[in-house]
């Protein structure tokens, strides 16, 4: 496994691009937390788990395609390719909903199907993402109560089942925790 070095240029480029794409966005939880805090935490989980620079960069960028308007996605993909390379782009695409505009159940079913064949680094990115999403969801429920769940586009039990299925895929593929 590659050792992450804080000065790696690919991680710096990824952080700049993630900050640009997520500028002005907030997390659904309380509606005030800057969105960029989420991909930063995902990247930190990956770094702490010993993953390399490409996986960490992809962790920073994992939501960029989904959070970009459809008409601008081809341009973003080219920007990602130029800034961080083919491998990082492949990892980002491996953990992105293929059709972010589709209904939640349809998107997540397709995501699970794709994840079952994705590179092991993509499994780690997905699990780090779900870990942070779950922690954020728990904090929202603790601080605001169940009424806060209305801001989300799926019921809590469906979210939990989806996260469990991601973990099951990871375990079945022998990818470990990270």
């Amino acid at each position: 496994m590659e050792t992450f070095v804080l000065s790696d240029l690919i991680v710096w480029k990824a952080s700049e691009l993630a900050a640009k794409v997520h500028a002005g966005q907030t997390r659904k939880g309380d509606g005030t937390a800057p969105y960029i805090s989420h991909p930063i935490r995902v990247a930190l989980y990956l770094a702490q788990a010993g993953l390399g620079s490409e996986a960490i960069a992809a962790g920073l960028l994992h939501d960029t395609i989904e959070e970009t308007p459809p008409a601008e996605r081809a341009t973003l993909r080219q920007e990602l390719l130029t800034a961080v390379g083919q491998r990082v782009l492949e990892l980002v695409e491996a953990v992105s909903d293929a059709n972010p505009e589709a209904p939640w159940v349809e998107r997540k079913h397709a995501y699970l199907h794709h994840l079952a064949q994705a590179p092991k680094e993509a499994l780690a990115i997905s699990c780090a993402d779900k870990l942070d999403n779950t922690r954020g969801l728990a904090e929202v429920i603790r601080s605001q109560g169940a009424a806060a769940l209305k801001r989300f586009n799926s019921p809590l039990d469906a979210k939990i089942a989806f996260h469990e299925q991601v973990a099951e895929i990871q375990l079945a593929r022998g990818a470990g925790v990270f």
Side-chain angles (χ1 to χ4, degrees):
M1 202 172 286
E2 176 187 350
T3 302
F4 169 68
V5 178
L6 188 58
S7 63
D8 280 349
L9 185 57
I10 195 169
V11 174
W12 289 116
K13 288 181 178 182
S15 65
E16 290 175 345
L17 191 50
K20 179 180 128 184
V21 170
H22 296 302
Q25 296 176 351
T26 57
R27 294 286 283 162
K28 285 182 191 171
D30 67 2
T32 64
Y35 196 91
I36 192 66
S37 62
H38 168 63
I40 288 171
R41 285 189 303 272
V42 168
L44 287 172
Y45 298 147
L46 297 167
Q48 290 170 342
L51 276 88
S53 300
E54 290 178 329
I56 294 166
L60 284 163
L61 297 165
H62 78 277
D63 279 338
T64 56
I65 293 173
E66 294 173 6
E67 296 295 326
T68 297
E72 299 170 24
R73 287 186 189 136
T75 301
L76 174 65
R77 282 185 172 90
Q78 185 58 50
E79 193 172 357
L80 288 169
L81 181 62
T82 301
V84 295
Q86 182 67 35
R87 180 66 177 154
V88 174
L89 175 58
E90 289 171 0
L91 291 172
V92 171
E93 288 181 328
V95 296
S96 295
D97 284 335
N99 182 5
E101 291 74 35
W104 189 87
V105 171
E106 182 182 321
R107 286 192 335 259
K108 299 312 170 190
H109 178 75
Y111 181 92
L112 291 168
H113 178 74
H114 178 74
L115 193 62
Q117 270 83 178
K120 287 192 176 184
E121 296 96 331
L123 292 173
I125 295 163
S126 181
C127 282
D129 175 36
K130 303 312 171 249
L131 171 63
D132 193 62
N133 285 342
T134 301
R135 286 179 170 173
L137 190 57
E139 179 55 34
V140 166
I141 294 169
R142 248 191 317 277
S143 65
Q144 300 174 26
L149 295 174
K150 292 178 183 169
R151 287 194 295 271
F152 295 90
N153 51 7
S154 65
L156 180 59
D157 60 341
K159 283 187 175 305
I160 292 169
F162 173 65
H163 290 195
E164 287 173 341
Q165 289 173 305
V166 169
E168 288 170 12
I169 289 170
Q170 179 141 5
L171 291 172
R173 299 235 357 245
V177 176
F178 280 157

